[in-house]
């Protein structure tokens, strides 16, 4: 099943890779490293807003839909409860964005000239939330092909719109496109998803369930905590690089992050498409171990080979995806790849905390990670300038991986060792 999902998902990943390369090339050509840094700040801020707007119900919705897809009564309660949760949180996010648009403009762009961008985001967020709501239900129902095809169409439209606005309006056009495109996807979803009528006809305030509300509460806390920490820490670290090393160097780091996102997207998409629904349905330790071992045996060797190839081809990757001005980014690949390898290894295990609502350990792990990555980034940036940021990335995910092994040591680590010895 994993290979089946992975092979079909490769189509979406290929399209996203091509579109991502085009976008990176366009931003690098028109905006240079400085513009890359600013658009990166905007994307991090957008991730925070999106995470809070869906109130953490996204992963909870996937989990409960997967568990109750054959129980019509329960499914209606899940759909109704999650919808009203998302509705309330989205309204709150939009109001905060409008009310504090001056502050957020300075935080993201360093000046108040982009207040209008923050306000546009406030009005676009509800469309993004509805799209996420529908796709999460479809994901829980196991309809991987629909999600992959919708995302593929979205990537194609996204690259056309962003490049066009970037060409016509430079930085202003790029930031508007970055904000609007995640929301525009709702129109593709409404056209494509056959179950759209069933989903919205299931929504009723009378079906709002206090039991599922309590169930969603763990996911809400997880998602909001993550949305308020990791992207914000990313912005703070980047601003530290800008203030202490330079805006151009911050652009190199952002370029490295973008390249990393491109080669990681195939693996990361498998977490939500395959691991989370299957971990949610699994009820035994043996099933959990079997899923993780299967993922490690199937995916990690391919990841390792791919990362070795990426490292030796880093010059051409930078030249093809960016411009010659970004060649100093080559120096960041080694530590970035090490950190990304441990990120994949640790996330495969960590998704069990979401699937089983292990709230304490999830929050502890996130707090542990952001603390280590922030302070290690400051320390290593002071010693090695921008390279220090990727060194901190590698060290942080190594420690996070060790933490995951410690948390699940009884149900995972010992058994894996015994199986390997045999």
């Amino acid at each position: 099943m994993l290979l089946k999902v992975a092979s079909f998902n490769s189509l979406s990943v290929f399209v996203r890779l091509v579109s991502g390369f085009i976008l990176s090339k366009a931003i690098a050509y028109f905006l240079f490293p400085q513009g890359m840094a600013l658009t990166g700040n905007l994307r991090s801020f957008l991730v925070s807003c999106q995470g809070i707007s869906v109130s953490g119900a996204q992963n909870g919705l996937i989990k409960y839909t997967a568990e109750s897809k054959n129980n019509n009564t329960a499914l209606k309660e899940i759909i109704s409860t999650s919808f009203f949760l998302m509705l309330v949180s989205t309204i709150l996010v939009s109001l905060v964005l409008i009310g504090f648009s001056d502050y957020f403009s300075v935080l993201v762009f360093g000046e108040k000239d982009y207040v209008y961008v923050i306000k546009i985001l406030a009005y676009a967020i509800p469309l993004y939330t509805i799209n996420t709501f529908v796709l999460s239900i479809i994901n829980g129902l196991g309809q991987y092909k629909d999600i992959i095809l919708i995302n593929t169409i979205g990537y194609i439209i996204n690259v056309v719109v962003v490049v066009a606005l970037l060409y016509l309006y430079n930085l202003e056009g790029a930031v508007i496109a970055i904000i609007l495109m995640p929301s525009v996807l709702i129109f593709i979803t409404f056209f494509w998803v056959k179950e759209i009528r069933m989903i919205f006809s299931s929504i009723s305030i009378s079906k709002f369930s206090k039991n599922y509300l309590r169930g969603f509460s763990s996911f809400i806390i997880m998602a909001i905590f993550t949305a308020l920490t990791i992207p914000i820490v990313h912005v703070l670290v980047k601003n530290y690089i800008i203030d202490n090393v330079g805006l151009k160097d911050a652009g190199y780091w952002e370029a490295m992050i973008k390249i990393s996102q491109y080669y990681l997207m195939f693996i990361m998409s498998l977490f939500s498409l395959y691991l989370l629904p299957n971990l949610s349905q699994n009820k035994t330790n043996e099933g959990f171990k079997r899923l993780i071992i299967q993922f490690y045996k199937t995916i990690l060797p391919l990841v390792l080979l791919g990362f070795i190839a990426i490292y030796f081809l880093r010059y051409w990757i930078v030249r093809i995806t960016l411009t010659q001005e970004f060649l100093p980014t080559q120096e960041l690949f080694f530590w970035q790849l090490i950190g990304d390898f441990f990120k994949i290894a640790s996330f495969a295990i960590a998704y069990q905390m979401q699937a089983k609502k292990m709230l304490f350990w999830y929050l502890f792990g996130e707090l542990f990670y952001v603390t280590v990555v922030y302070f290690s980034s400051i320390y290593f940036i002071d010693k090695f300038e921008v390279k220090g940021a990727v060194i901190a990335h590698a060290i942080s995910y190594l420690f996070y991986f060790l933490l995951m092994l410690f948390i699940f040591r009884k149900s995972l680590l010992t058994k894996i060792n015994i199986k390997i010895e045999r």
Side-chain angles (χ1 to χ4, degrees):
M1 182 62 178
L2 174 57
L3 287 177
K4 182 179 179 181
V5 175
S7 61
F8 191 77
N9 187 44
S10 61
L11 167 65
S12 177
V13 171
F14 175 75
V15 174
R16 189 175 178 184
L17 277 172
V18 173
S19 63
F21 287 158
I22 294 172
L23 287 178
S24 295
K25 192 79 172 180
I27 292 174
Y29 180 80
F30 288 106
L31 302 183
F32 310 107
Q34 296 87 335
M36 182 76 74
L38 292 177
T39 55
N41 266 4
L42 176 61
R43 290 183 187 278
S44 296
F45 181 70
L46 184 59
V47 168
S48 285
C49 293
Q50 291 171 341
I52 299 172
S53 69
V54 297
S55 69
Q58 180 179 5
N59 286 335
L61 187 52
I62 295 172
K63 167 185 166 62
Y64 290 128
T65 302
E67 292 176 343
S68 306
K69 56 186 176 183
N70 296 320
N71 186 334
N72 192 50
T73 301
L75 191 58
K76 288 183 178 180
E77 292 181 351
I78 293 165
I79 291 173
S80 297
T81 305
S82 60
F83 175 80
F84 289 111
L85 277 175
M86 290 184 178
L87 177 64
V88 171
S89 59
T90 299
I91 292 173
L92 290 175
V93 169
S94 294
L95 291 176
V96 169
L97 287 173
I98 293 172
F100 296 91
S101 54
D102 287 359
Y103 169 79
F104 290 127
S105 178
V106 173
L107 175 67
V108 177
F109 299 102
E111 53 184 304
K112 292 184 178 181
D113 293 348
Y114 294 90
V115 167
Y116 73 96
V117 174
I118 305 299
K119 291 183 177 179
I120 291 174
L121 173 59
Y123 294 112
I125 279 287
L127 294 178
Y128 167 82
T129 301
I130 295 173
N131 189 60
T132 302
F133 167 73
V134 174
L135 292 184
S136 297
I137 295 172
I138 299 302
N139 195 348
L141 294 174
Q143 298 181 13
Y144 308 116
K145 290 185 178 181
D146 285 340
I147 297 174
I148 292 170
L149 288 173
I150 289 170
N151 287 335
T152 301
I153 296 171
Y155 300 145
I156 295 172
I157 296 176
N158 179 65
V159 70
V160 173
V161 173
V162 173
V163 172
L165 291 180
L166 180 61
Y167 174 76
L168 293 173
Y169 303 107
N170 208 266
L171 179 60
E172 288 77 7
V175 298
I176 294 298
I178 289 170
I179 285 175
L180 289 181
M181 284 314 300
S183 302
V184 171
L185 290 178
I186 183 61
F187 300 106
I188 303 172
T189 300
F190 269 62
F191 174 79
W192 193 273
V193 175
K194 298 176 182 178
E195 292 79 8
I196 200 76
R197 186 185 299 273
M198 179 277 291
I199 291 172
F200 283 95
S201 64
S202 299
I203 298 173
S204 171
I205 191 65
S206 64
K207 295 293 183 181
F208 188 90
S209 169
K210 292 182 179 179
N211 289 331
Y212 282 114
L213 176 61
R214 285 192 291 270
F216 277 117
S217 62
S218 297
F219 292 102
I220 294 171
I221 296 170
M222 289 179 187
I224 291 179
F225 186 84
T226 300
L228 289 175
T229 53
I230 293 179
I232 298 301
V233 166
H234 180 89
V235 172
L236 293 176
V237 171
K238 189 180 299 173
N239 287 344
Y240 189 84
I241 296 174
I242 293 172
D243 295 337
N244 294 274
V245 185
L247 181 58
K248 181 177 288 189
D249 291 270
Y252 298 148
W253 184 53
E254 181 62 33
M256 184 69 258
I257 292 173
K258 294 300 297 180
I259 294 172
S260 170
Q261 289 173 347
Y262 296 146
Y263 62 67
L264 281 180
M265 64 179 65
F266 174 78
I267 308 300
M268 302 306 289
S269 61
L270 287 179
F271 288 140
S272 58
L273 281 173
Y274 177 82
L275 268 186
L276 181 57
N278 282 279
L279 287 172
S280 298
Q281 294 180 74
N282 170 65
K283 303 296 183 184
T284 66
N285 285 335
E286 284 69 26
F288 166 62
K289 289 177 286 189
R290 189 161 47 249
L291 281 168
I292 300 304
I293 292 172
Q294 180 192 21
F295 189 89
Y296 277 6
K297 285 184 175 180
T298 306
I299 300 300
L300 283 189
L302 298 176
V303 169
L304 183 59
L305 290 175
F307 280 11
I308 293 172
I310 289 170
Y311 179 76
F312 285 108
L313 295 173
R314 64 192 185 280
Y315 170 82
W316 293 106
I317 291 173
V318 174
R319 288 292 285 116
I320 292 171
T321 60
L322 302 167
T323 64
Q324 188 169 351
E325 191 173 5
F326 284 84
L327 285 178
T329 305
Q330 293 180 84
E331 299 177 7
L332 309 181
F333 270 75
F334 179 77
W335 290 104
Q336 182 72 35
L337 288 165
I338 291 177
D340 288 342
F341 182 84
F342 284 112
K343 179 178 182 178
I344 293 169
S346 59
F347 272 32
I349 303 173
Y351 260 71
Q352 175 75 344
M353 295 189 291
Q354 295 189 45
K356 302 307 177 188
K357 297 190 298 183
M358 300 169 63
L359 181 60
F360 171 79
W361 284 115
Y362 180 88
L363 295 180
F364 180 84
E366 292 292 288
L367 183 61
F368 175 84
Y369 168 74
V370 296
T371 302
V372 173
V373 77
Y374 177 75
F375 287 106
S376 62
S377 293
I378 302 303
Y379 175 78
F380 286 113
I381 290 169
D382 288 341
K383 290 180 68 69
F384 303 107
E385 297 189 328
V386 67
K387 186 184 289 186
V390 287
I391 294 175
H393 168 73
I395 291 174
S396 300
Y397 273 115
L398 170 60
F399 284 138
Y400 186 74
F401 175 65
L402 295 175
L403 177 63
M404 292 302 103
L405 292 181
F406 173 78
I407 293 172
F408 294 98
R409 63 193 183 280
K410 292 182 179 180
S411 60
L412 183 62
L413 185 60
T414 302
K415 297 297 182 181
I416 288 179
N417 288 336
I418 291 175
K419 190 164 187 177
I420 290 174
E421 289 172 1
R422 289 179 181 176

